[in-house]
Amino acid sequence: MANNIELLAAYFTIAGDVYPLGPTELSPFPFRDRIEAAARAGYRGVGLIHEDVMATAGKIGLPEMKRILDDNGIKYVEMEFLLDWFADGERRRESDKIRAEMLEAAAALGMRDLKVGPGFHDPVADIPRMRDEFAQLCREAADHGTSIVLEIMPWSNVRTIDTALGIVEGAAQPNGGILVDIWHLARGGIDYNEVSKIPAQYIGAVELDDAPKNVVGADLWEDTIHHRRLAGEGDLNPPAFIKAVQAAGYKGPYGVEILSAEFRKLPLEEMARRSFETTMRQFEKLAVAA
């Protein structure tokens, strides 16, 4: 079974010593070096982030970025992270600017999907509004040849599978889906078997990593950006999560998202190799147990 698995290195897994909402999200490693390191490790996909894509495109252009991806056999490309796509006022105006740039890059780079976030300002989701805005975002993405995946996050207004389904399934767009990340489900107290609630066509993306049993640091935010572990080196039981995802009918690539203060300081080649090898071992464990 492991021979059929394709992995995607999420942006921060091989970006180096940067983290979400840090002083900068720009990778210190050149784009070409990251893509080549990912490919040598065995990855068939890579994740990008808006700020870094725009900076790289400003230097070498989107067509050259596409050539580098193709030359290294990268089949799957994703980009994060659009916020406030359902908001009003200044937050929405800034979001729409980023949205336009992300969609342009998606078309140029042949992206599989764009990752979008839930709301962090309101404790309860306005599901009808988010459903309608998500549907419109998906229609625009379809015009650019890509999909939209909404990530469940425990500190947000989309912290349950039922809420995510109300938005994504309610929008009923063929290119709209839910992103399920083992860390977010585990820290949100969601049993992995609840993934079975999601119709297979709406499981848009899956991400793997690991973590200690208990939250590390002051809160969930500090825990998620600094203390994740490589798959199999924590207590979240990645094989059980993979088994639940596969039972729900997911057949796409698996993202590997490692956000760790220690890991991000390693050499690029080591980050790519170790994250790939430890994650693939989780599928091998599943195959042996089957």
Side-chain angles (χ1 to χ4, degrees):
M1 180 185 66
N3 292 335
N4 299 321
I5 298 302
E6 295 177 309
L7 300 185
L8 179 154
Y11 176 73
F12 288 106
T13 299
I14 56 171
D17 195 11
V18 294
Y19 55 90
L21 301 184
T24 180
E25 294 182 340
L26 294 175
S27 173
F29 301 122
F31 180 79
R32 181 185 296 276
D33 291 356
R34 281 178 275 148
I35 303 308
E36 291 178 348
R40 280 193 293 269
Y43 281 107
R44 302 305 304 276
V46 295
L48 308 176
I49 201 167
H50 169 260
E51 181 182 1
D52 192 81
V53 168
M54 299 310 296
T56 303
K59 295 176 182 176
I60 66 175
L62 290 169
E64 179 61 17
M65 293 173 70
K66 174 64 170 165
R67 279 191 288 272
I68 292 170
L69 292 166
D70 290 345
D71 288 348
N72 285 279
I74 299 300
K75 292 171 57 178
Y76 309 106
V77 183
E78 69 177 18
M79 181 162 58
E80 55 183 294
F81 194 61
L82 183 65
L83 297 171
D84 293 329
W85 44 273
F86 53 88
D88 291 314
E90 184 57 34
R91 283 166 45 205
R92 178 58 180 269
R93 284 189 286 274
E94 177 62 22
S95 177
D96 283 349
K97 177 180 179 294
I98 294 171
R99 174 181 184 145
E101 292 172 347
M102 290 179 76
L103 289 172
E104 178 186 1
L109 300 180
M111 289 187 186
R112 178 180 189 265
D113 60 67
L114 303 180
K115 294 164 63 173
V116 305
F120 304 126
H121 299 279
D122 302 310
V124 178
D126 182 343
I127 291 178
R129 178 180 178 84
M130 294 180 74
R131 176 199 64 208
D132 294 346
E133 292 285 0
F134 188 82
Q136 176 58 31
L137 177 56
C138 287
R139 287 190 287 267
E140 292 177 22
D143 290 338
H144 292 77
T146 194
S147 297
I148 300 295
V149 292
L150 171 63
E151 188 161 12
I152 298 170
M153 295 184 165
W155 59 81
S156 76
N157 66 352
V158 183
R159 53 187 175 270
T160 69
I161 286 175
D162 287 341
T163 301
L165 280 172
I167 297 165
V168 174
E169 189 174 24
Q173 298 298 306
N175 65 327
I178 297 169
L179 190 165
V180 288
D181 179 316
I182 184 175
W183 188 96
H184 289 294
L185 264 61
R187 288 297 193 243
I190 300 173
D191 189 283
Y192 298 156
N193 290 324
E194 284 196 49
V195 174
S196 66
K197 292 181 178 179
I198 309 174
Q201 69 266 32
Y202 293 123
I203 305 177
V206 174
E207 289 184 341
L208 299 168
D209 50 67
D210 214 329
K213 181 178 180 180
N214 298 315
V215 173
V216 181
D219 52 28
L220 282 173
W221 179 248
E222 182 177 329
D223 187 34
T224 193
I225 65 172
H226 295 314
H227 300 293
R228 297 198 195 191
R229 293 181 181 173
L230 294 165
E233 297 183 0
D235 300 308
L236 301 190
N237 195 354
F241 175 73
I242 294 166
K243 184 176 180 180
V245 167
Q246 292 180 339
Y250 182 74
K251 300 184 184 304
Y254 290 79
V256 181
E257 185 170 58
I258 309 301
L259 296 162
S260 161
E262 295 179 3
F263 182 80
R264 66 175 64 108
K265 294 179 175 64
L266 296 174
L268 174 58
E269 295 285 344
E270 186 175 354
M271 287 191 294
R273 177 184 55 79
R274 286 184 59 191
S275 61
F276 180 86
E277 291 178 353
T278 54
T279 305
M280 286 300 295
R281 280 200 287 272
Q282 309 313 301
F283 293 92
E284 293 164 1
K285 290 178 185 178
L286 204 58
V288 169

